Amino acid sequence: MSIHTNAIVIGSLLASPIAGFLQCDSVEPEDEPELIADTGVSAEFAADDAPEEEVPLESLFDGEAPTARSFNLRELSLKQLGKFVFFDKISVPAKKQGCISCHDPATGWTFPNDKINKGQVAAPGAVLGAVGTIRPPSNAYARNIPLQTGCGPLGLPCGGVFWDGRAEGNVGPVFAGATTHIDDEVFKGKSLLEDLFAEFLGPVADQALQPFPNPFEQNISAKAVCTHVSRAPYALLYRLAWGEKIDCTNAGFMLSFKRIAVALAAWQASDEVNQFSSKRDKALAAEVKLEGANVAFPLKGLTAQENLGHELFYGRANCALCHSNEPVLAVADPNKAGLDPDELYTDATFHNIGVPRNAKIPGPEGSAGLGARPLVIPDPDDDPTRRLGQHKTPTLRNVDKRPYKGFVKAYTHNGWFKSLESLVHFYNTADVDGATAAAFGVTRCDTTKTDWTEAEALAANCWPEPEEQGTLAIGFVMGDLGLTLAEEAAIVAYLKTLTDTKTVKPPPLLE
Ligand code: HEC
Ligand code: HEC
């Protein structure tokens, strides 16, 4: 079969609504040949003398030597499939919930309802009355989070996604409670596809299997997700990506569901989701252009206050000990740290910063205990509760991204904190026995009251007890930083430079 005949199918796609999506926005539907060029497929594919009948797309790969251009089309299709599925509300009841409902680009890929952020924090599910137990983190920049491998001499947890890293991305679980892993079974003998798509397997792909069947989230079976996608206006993207029609039979739906998850991971790995387009990124890139290898902070593109925030972040305030993927222990000069253009502002490991209990999260368990999974390796302290309260360090990219000024975001795993200002004040003064707390007159809140809100605590100038005492970071690297109010404000100003400047819009067919 000649590769030319495969063009017919691609040509026939041009008549479908997908065509408009695959092409650049600026290209009108009449310009079909250009579309082909834009998608990386040679215009010669659209031979006029091509026969009418459909040619199986899989022949683009099987039996034919694939070209770089057909690879591009595959990958583009996979990512766009993931984008459609991310924005589509695939749930039971229908059209109630999609990934987008809890991970909105306009709020830095977190929860878009500020009434809920102020109150119960946990996202409601598709089913009326079903509510989660923990705050949706950002899903952007998660592509760079490593597999859970167990790190250091003790093999302690590091990597994986979810607040407790349980989407480990490994073939076999490293720690108890790991979620199902998507293995190379999705390639089913398609070794060329494996070469192309294997990079998207890992924690984020494993994660994508979880929200659909979860009764507190999208509440829809794997089979029903498959059927939904097979009937969706974007179903052809599945075929373009995987080289075969989506199979939703009893024998085939699970594989198709996993391939949809791989598509979600591929889109979440795209430059659209991971933009590195913030003020900090731009200022750094501009400085690199000017200074080359001699680049260092302060940056000309940042204000004096933002530059001071950076210096404190990588220096005296210890933030970069946990919020950096660079090894920044014992930084001699904080102005020479934090220069990685790909800085993710997380070490991808787990710490307990002593967040107070959030009594507003419904459910008998509240947020207690979340974040800790039993270790399979011998625990150094032989104490099963030791890790309670540890959560994965979240990225700080987009931490201040919000749809409008005054929109309230919730911070940390249980959303107890409602502002960056109060959280940074907490980092500075959380050790109520420390000198900084004393200087600010901060005390321990009345421990007989167990439902302190942030507003009440700020009004009483006190911090409630940490919900979990295991391996608290307070008293070590945080809680007594000796920062002035102006220095706290500088750190907040720096955090605000980490907001991506473009906001991803829903794909046209779903608007
Ligand atoms: C009802 C709200 C809700 C929906 C719908 C939802 N999520 Fe989430 N998402 C969450 C919450 C809550 C967490 C954290 C859960 C945990 O850690 O136990 C999370 C975690 C994640 C993470 C991990 C990020 C990290 O760095 O740890 C990714 C990635 C993600 N979601 C992607 C998705 C995708 C893809 C979909 C759609 C298939 C989706 N989410 C649907 C609420 C939601
Ligand atoms: C010991 C490691 C550690 C240090 C030091 C640290 N952080 Fe964190 N940070 C974390 C962890 C872990 C969380 C999540 C905690 C949770 O949810 O319980 C977090 C959460 C945050 C959040 C909330 C992000 C979100 O999406 O909810 C912000 C903002 C933040 N840190 C900023 C800072 C700043 C600024 C500093 C320095 C003043 C700092 N952190 C120091 C580990 C650390």
Side-chain angles (χ1 to χ4, degrees):
M1 191 173 296
S2 123
I3 198 143
H4 288 251
T5 49
N6 296 314
I8 300 114
V9 178
I10 294 164
S12 73
L13 273 177
L14 302 180
S16 82
I18 294 297
F21 185 65
L22 279 174
Q23 72 190 87
C24 287
D25 289 343
S26 57
V27 181
E28 294 300 314
E30 302 87 85
D31 300 335
E32 285 170 5
E34 278 176 43
L35 158 64
I36 295 177
D38 282 354
T39 51
V41 179
S42 161
E44 67 180 315
F45 279 20
D48 287 343
D49 57 347
E52 289 290 273
E53 92 260 26
E54 213 181 78
V55 173
L57 271 176
E58 52 271 32
S59 58
L60 203 68
F61 271 72
D62 302 339
E64 294 283 353
T67 63
R69 288 176 298 196
S70 62
F71 272 150
N72 284 345
L73 183 62
R74 291 280 167 147
E75 192 171 327
L76 182 69
S77 303
L78 188 75
K79 288 183 174 165
Q80 296 306 335
L81 172 65
K83 181 174 182 179
F84 271 103
V85 173
F86 191 90
F87 279 90
D88 199 358
K89 294 196 170 161
I90 307 176
S91 62
V92 173
K95 298 193 180 141
K96 287 283 181 218
Q97 193 168 68
C99 313
I100 181 66
S101 311
C102 301
H103 300 285
D104 187 342
T107 45
W109 308 93
T110 61
F111 200 65
N113 180 322
D114 91 332
K115 281 199 189 67
I116 286 178
N117 291 343
K118 282 185 226 168
Q120 74 179 33
V121 171
V127 176
L128 195 68
V131 178
T133 51
I134 201 161
R135 201 209 95 206
S138 164
N139 64 303
Y141 299 101
R143 69 163 185 200
N144 301 67
I145 292 173
L147 302 183
Q148 176 62 268
T149 50
C151 293
L154 298 173
L156 290 175
C158 62
V161 303
F162 279 139
W163 285 106
D164 61 0
R166 71 189 177 284
E168 293 186 341
N170 294 311
V171 176
V174 173
F175 298 111
T179 65
T180 309
H181 176 61
I182 302 181
D183 206 353
D184 50 14
E185 82 238 42
V186 287
F187 305 119
K188 229 180 33 179
K190 294 178 181 250
S191 59
L192 292 168
L193 272 190
E194 182 162 3
D195 290 348
L196 188 59
F197 294 167
E199 64 171 299
F200 304 123
L201 301 191
V204 177
D206 291 359
Q207 191 285 332
L209 294 174
Q210 299 300 313
F212 292 109
N214 186 333
F216 297 98
E217 296 186 295
Q218 286 158 273
N219 189 44
I220 181 167
S221 70
K223 188 156 197 239
V225 173
C226 185
T227 309
H228 178 102
V229 172
S230 74
R231 294 178 185 156
Y234 52 84
L236 278 165
L237 287 170
Y238 182 99
R239 199 159 173 207
L240 270 175
W242 291 102
E244 59 191 38
K245 251 174 128 164
I246 187 165
D247 176 1
C248 298
T249 62
N250 281 342
F253 76 85
M254 196 39 95
L255 188 70
S256 305
F257 180 60
K258 288 181 176 172
R259 286 175 169 176
I260 292 167
V262 175
L264 279 163
W267 185 61
Q268 292 177 92
S270 71
D271 295 344
E272 228 178 348
V273 180
N274 310 273
Q275 296 176 8
F276 298 93
S277 68
S278 69
K279 183 176 184 186
R280 173 264 182 196
D281 297 317
K282 288 178 177 170
L284 181 59
E287 198 90 2
V288 168
K289 249 190 197 150
L290 286 176
E291 305 292 337
N294 296 326
V295 65
F297 278 72
L299 304 181
K300 293 173 202 63
L302 298 185
T303 65
Q305 190 192 31
E306 290 160 352
N307 277 315
L308 172 62
H310 175 274
E311 190 181 327
L312 293 164
F313 187 96
Y314 285 89
R316 223 158 26 92
N318 290 341
C319 312
L321 291 183
C322 305
H323 289 283
S324 177
N325 44 303
E326 289 178 350
V328 286
L329 276 172
V331 173
D333 179 357
N335 279 322
K336 296 206 172 103
L339 294 167
D340 181 358
D342 296 333
E343 172 68 280
L344 295 172
Y345 298 96
T346 172
D347 57 359
T349 68
F350 303 82
H351 309 276
N352 179 6
I353 64 165
V355 176
R357 171 167 182 262
N358 185 352
K360 296 227 187 285
I361 292 186
E365 286 173 66
S367 69
L370 278 166
R373 285 189 294 144
L375 302 183
V376 240
I377 50 152
D379 187 280
D381 293 351
D382 214 12
D383 172 4
T385 63
R386 194 180 149 270
R387 289 189 55 237
L388 285 179
Q390 287 195 359
H391 292 87
K392 194 182 73 216
T393 311
T395 178
L396 299 180
R397 287 187 172 272
N398 291 317
V399 80
D400 189 54
K401 192 167 170 74
R402 57 190 89 227
Y404 52 86
K405 214 173 166 229
F407 175 98
V408 174
K409 290 182 78 166
Y411 294 114
T412 68
H413 71 282
N414 67 11
W416 190 83
F417 291 94
K418 312 296 180 191
S419 80
L420 294 173
E421 286 78 5
S422 73
L423 181 50
V424 172
H425 188 54
F426 177 78
Y427 275 116
N428 193 19
T429 59
D431 180 356
V432 291
D433 301 323
T436 318
F440 280 94
V442 172
T443 56
R444 170 69 68 226
C445 298
D446 177 358
T447 52
T448 59
K449 175 175 159 67
T450 56
D451 60 354
W452 286 93
T453 64
E454 184 209 51
E456 289 167 344
L458 290 174
N461 202 22
C462 65
W463 294 120
E465 276 199 310
E467 179 161 29
E468 299 293 346
Q469 302 291 337
T471 50
L472 262 184
I474 297 177
F476 296 97
V477 293
M478 58 165 285
D480 189 11
L481 299 178
L483 304 171
T484 64
L485 277 181
E487 288 170 335
E488 286 185 13
I491 293 175
V492 171
Y494 177 64
L495 295 177
K496 291 183 177 184
T497 68
L498 307 180
T499 300
D500 282 327
T501 46
K502 286 171 284 181
T503 304
V504 179
K505 296 273 177 292
L509 289 173
L510 296 173
E511 261 172 352

